[in-house]
Amino acid sequence: MTATPPHDEDRSNAVHTEPVEAIRAHEIGEPHEPCESSDPHGEWWIDGPIFSTEHRGSSITSLRPGAQPGRFTASMIARLSFTFFFWIGLAFLALPRIVVPIAAPAVEDLATHWGWWVIVVLAVVLMVVLGPTFGFTRRAMAQYGQLGLPAVVTAAVITTAFFIALLIHLAIDIDYIRHAPPTVEYWELPDTEILLIFLGVAAVGALGLLIALPFSIRFAVRTQRRIVAIRTTGTRYAGRLEHLDFRHSRISHLSQFSVRVGFETREGTRVVTAQMEADPERVPLEGEPLLVIVSTFRGRRGSRERILIEPDPDRPMRFNPDGGKYVVTADGGGG
């Protein structure tokens, strides 16, 4: 799958690059952990600016220059496993105080002890300091280049952890009810009906997220493979950011924008519209340089053009010093 190379008269507008060997999807190997970036724009594939002419929001996908499509690494699996067991413990500790009727007397007595509260507070402090996923989200963003997949994985793990914690409470309650002394009144028994309602909600949520997970992974990897193909076969042009429109929304730490990008071709000036996401402190100024890569793919319905927009490593861009106006507040407004 190759794109038509630029004509001689067009080479003044195209960015000259060394030829690279085409990479096929089945030749993609094991990805490496994110490393310290030598790019003049830092880790833009994580913190932005990231562009997409086909997707928006959490579906916008990036890929570190020179990297291969992402996979789960040992570090990610370890952090995700720790996150899973951490949330099982936190949910088990917190639920008796959030939903009082579900706890068996033995658990209820422990939940009123000061040591119980100390453990809960320490767990919350640990989560605030290290993050609710203990570094998994940023590493998943570096590997898969989007916010959607880490969100699905995190939600699936935490929801499943709550489900397991509820199951543990249910098992304890059933054991207590079976062996409760005859003097215990019915209204004094743990309310398993409420527990079953919470279990049902958690089960539906976890099942839905686990079903969506392989589709999210497939979408992210497929999009990254397209990025590899465009970088490999496409024609590169020196572009510029023509216009930027702040959408007053954000996903995770990235503010969302609609942009127009212009670049010169043999046929004349072209302007394409795209979506952009970036950390508020990394929003480029209008007129700043960009790299535009155009590639033509042959499919079942004929040829199709795909465009990739990225920061140009040979022409560092300037960021807007007034990044505060791109911070999305609680009411959805900007600074």
Side-chain angles (χ1 to χ4, degrees):
M1 182 163 52
T2 57
T4 304
H7 297 283
D8 291 340
E9 56 268 35
D10 190 32
R11 295 193 183 273
S12 60
N13 296 323
V15 178
H16 295 275
T17 58
E18 292 295 326
V20 293
E21 183 180 353
I23 300 175
R24 297 181 178 87
H26 67 271
E27 295 175 339
I28 294 170
E30 187 71 21
H32 300 288
E33 283 287 348
C35 58
E36 195 69 26
S37 171
S38 59
D39 193 288
H41 302 101
E43 294 184 331
W44 60 262
W45 52 92
I46 300 177
D47 298 318
I50 304 168
F51 301 85
S52 177
T53 58
E54 298 183 10
H55 306 113
R56 65 172 55 227
S58 60
S59 296
I60 295 176
T61 306
S62 64
L63 181 64
R64 176 170 56 90
Q68 300 167 354
R71 290 181 184 175
F72 274 77
T73 64
S75 173
M76 291 169 60
I77 293 173
R79 292 170 187 275
L80 201 59
S81 300
F82 184 82
T83 299
F84 177 62
F85 290 109
F86 173 85
W87 277 95
I88 290 176
L90 182 60
F92 180 82
L93 293 170
L95 282 169
R97 299 269 54 88
I98 298 173
V99 189
V100 177
I102 71 169
V107 176
E108 178 64 27
D109 290 343
L110 285 174
T112 59
H113 192 271
W114 65 269
W116 188 283
W117 286 103
V118 169
I119 296 174
V120 172
V121 170
L122 289 176
V124 172
V125 170
L126 181 66
M127 183 177 62
V128 171
V129 173
L130 300 179
T133 62
F134 304 96
F136 167 80
T137 299
R138 186 171 181 86
R139 282 165 174 76
M141 176 67 183
Q143 282 289 326
Y144 290 98
Q146 63 169 231
L147 296 168
L149 177 58
V152 172
V153 174
T154 300
V157 167
I158 293 177
T159 305
T160 304
F162 266 86
F163 177 76
I164 299 298
L166 288 164
L167 274 180
I168 296 172
H169 275 292
L170 180 62
I172 295 173
D173 289 353
I174 291 175
D175 182 70
Y176 172 76
I177 292 171
R178 285 178 176 176
H179 301 91
T183 56
V184 175
E185 298 291 340
Y186 174 79
W187 56 269
E188 294 179 308
L189 297 174
D191 193 339
T192 55
E193 291 182 2
I194 294 179
L195 195 55
L196 288 172
I197 292 173
F198 277 93
L199 267 170
V201 173
V204 172
L207 181 61
L209 289 164
L210 291 173
I211 291 174
L213 181 56
F215 295 98
S216 298
I217 295 174
R218 181 175 179 270
F219 172 78
V221 173
R222 182 181 60 189
T223 305
Q224 287 188 322
R225 285 174 175 169
R226 288 177 180 172
I227 293 175
V228 172
I230 294 172
R231 286 174 176 170
T232 302
T233 65
T235 303
R236 300 171 180 239
Y237 298 95
R240 61 190 174 278
L241 182 62
E242 299 282 359
H243 177 72
L244 181 146
D245 182 26
F246 181 34
R247 292 168 50 197
H248 296 277
S249 63
R250 69 179 176 90
I251 300 176
S252 185
H253 65 295
L254 302 179
S255 298
Q256 305 294 303
F257 303 83
S258 295
V259 300
R260 291 199 303 269
V261 176
F263 59 101
E264 299 292 334
T265 68
R266 179 173 59 88
E267 292 79 14
T269 303
R270 289 189 59 182
V271 178
V272 296
T273 59
Q275 302 300 311
M276 184 189 85
E277 57 185 12
D279 185 278
E281 299 299 324
R282 296 177 56 83
V283 178
L285 295 165
E286 292 183 354
E288 287 303 291
L290 292 169
L291 176 63
V292 180
I293 311 175
V294 182
S295 186
T296 302
F297 294 85
R298 301 187 187 279
R300 296 177 182 176
R301 301 179 181 179
S303 298
R304 180 181 177 183
E305 184 180 78
R306 284 201 171 100
I307 299 176
L308 180 65
I309 303 170
E310 297 179 337
D312 192 335
D314 297 325
R315 298 182 301 155
M317 68 173 65
R318 295 172 299 163
F319 300 124
N320 194 320
D322 187 16
K325 66 181 181 180
Y326 300 122
V327 175
V328 180
T329 57
D331 60 0

